[in-house]
Amino acid sequence: MKLKHFLLIGLLTFGSLINAQETKKNFIEVTGVAEMEVEPDEIIFNVGIKGDNKNDLVNNEKKLFDLLKNGGVKNEDIKFKSMYQNMYSKTKVFTKSFQFKVTKNTDMGSLFENLNQKWVSNINIAEIKNTKIADFRKIVKINALKAAKEKADYLMESIGKKTGTPLEITEIEDYTSDMIVPMAYRSKVANVQMEAADTNVDYSFDNIENIKLKYSIKTKYEIL
C-alpha cells in the first residue's frame, strides 16, 4: 500500500512539473497574400480528324502529322488520345483525336491556316502552360510569407510590442489560372476550320491572357 501511495505522489508531482513548463504564449495570427501574372510559353491543343473509312482515316492521320511537323511541331509533342467508330450510323464515321503542343517559336498563323481542312473535325485548347510555373509558384508563396511577417511587425509595433518566433505557418492556395482558357480565344480556336480562310484571326500568344497565380499564407507569431 505504501509503495502504491509513493508512486501516486510521484506521478502527480511529475504532472505538475510538466504543466508548469507548458505556459501559454500570446500570439498574433495574420495572413499574407501575394500575386503574380506569368506569360504562357506553351499551348496544348486538341485536334480531331475524320475519314469515310479506315484507309481514309489513316491517310488523313499522315497528312495531319506532316502539317504539324511542317508547322514546327516536334514529333514527341504529338500524342494520340482516342479513336472512335460509329457502326450504327447510315454513313460510317471514323474519327481519331490527338493532342499537340506549340511554343512561342511556332508560326501559329501559318499552322492553323494549313489545318483548315475538311477532314479536320475540331480544334480546341486543352491547356495553357508555362514551363517554369513551379519556380514562379515558389516565388509567390515566399512573397506571401514575407507579407504576413511584415503585417505582423507593423501591427505589433503600433502597440509597442515585437514579433517573436513563428509558431505556425499554413499555406492556402487561393487561385491559379494555368488551366483556364479565355472564352473569347477558345471560341475562335474551336471553329478554326471555318474561320481561318475567311478572317484574319490572331492565333499568337499575344491573344492569350496571362496565367494568374495567387497564394495566401496564414501565420502565428509569438508576441514579445
Side-chain angles (χ1 to χ4, degrees):
M1 292 295 292
K2 289 183 179 181
L3 180 59
K4 289 183 179 180
H5 183 66
F6 288 141
L7 286 173
L8 182 60
I9 292 175
L11 288 171
L12 289 172
T13 303
F14 181 66
S16 298
L17 288 172
I18 292 176
N19 291 331
Q21 291 174 357
E22 290 181 352
T23 56
K24 291 185 177 180
K25 296 179 180 179
N26 293 324
F27 65 87
I28 178 174
E29 182 175 293
V30 294
T31 300
V33 182
E35 300 179 53
M36 179 185 289
E37 288 196 10
V38 181
E39 291 185 359
D41 56 13
E42 289 184 350
I43 308 175
I44 310 297
F45 284 94
N46 293 322
V47 57
I49 61 173
K50 59 185 177 180
D52 297 329
N53 51 61
K54 289 184 178 180
N55 289 333
D56 190 30
L57 187 64
V58 170
N59 290 332
N60 290 338
E61 181 179 341
K62 291 178 180 178
K63 292 178 186 177
L64 174 67
F65 273 68
D66 288 339
L67 289 174
L68 292 177
K69 290 175 184 177
N70 291 336
V73 180
K74 297 179 181 179
N75 189 59
E76 59 267 27
D77 292 333
I78 307 172
K79 296 181 179 179
F80 168 75
K81 280 192 63 183
S82 62
M83 184 173 179
Y84 174 75
Q85 178 180 347
N86 189 349
M87 298 298 296
Y88 300 98
S89 175
K90 292 181 180 179
T91 57
K92 294 181 180 179
V93 179
F94 296 83
T95 64
K96 212 168 186 179
S97 60
F98 299 86
Q99 281 191 344
F100 65 92
K101 179 173 70 178
V102 301
T103 66
K104 286 196 169 184
N105 295 325
T106 308
D107 185 352
M108 294 176 67
S110 175
L111 175 61
F112 282 103
E113 185 176 353
N114 292 332
L115 286 174
N116 182 23
Q117 306 289 337
K118 291 182 178 180
W119 46 267
V120 176
S121 57
N122 67 285
I123 301 177
N124 55 67
I125 294 178
E127 186 179 354
I128 58 173
K129 302 175 70 175
N130 183 288
T131 50
K132 296 182 179 179
I133 196 70
D135 294 332
F136 290 124
R137 284 197 181 104
K138 290 178 183 178
I139 293 172
V140 179
K141 291 175 184 179
I142 290 170
N143 289 340
L145 182 57
K146 289 180 178 178
K149 179 62 165 57
E150 183 180 351
K151 185 188 291 187
D153 286 341
Y154 70 70
L155 288 175
M156 288 297 92
E157 186 179 349
S158 68
I159 58 174
K161 297 289 185 179
K162 290 184 178 181
T163 304
T165 304
L167 304 175
E168 185 177 316
I169 298 175
T170 306
E171 177 187 334
I172 306 170
E173 182 173 337
D174 283 353
Y175 175 71
T176 177
S177 71
D178 49 319
M179 293 292 291
I180 295 174
V181 180
M183 290 301 297
Y185 191 84
R186 184 186 302 170
S187 62
K188 289 178 183 178
V189 179
N191 297 312
V192 65
Q193 66 271 15
M194 293 183 288
E195 295 186 27
D198 302 323
T199 60
N200 295 319
V201 181
D202 183 7
Y203 295 108
S204 67
F205 278 81
D206 295 334
N207 199 29
I208 296 183
E209 294 178 3
N210 289 338
I211 298 168
K212 296 179 178 64
L213 299 176
K214 181 179 178 182
Y215 290 96
S216 299
I217 302 289
K218 185 169 69 175
T219 59
K220 288 183 180 179
Y221 291 98
E222 182 183 2
I223 298 176
L224 300 180

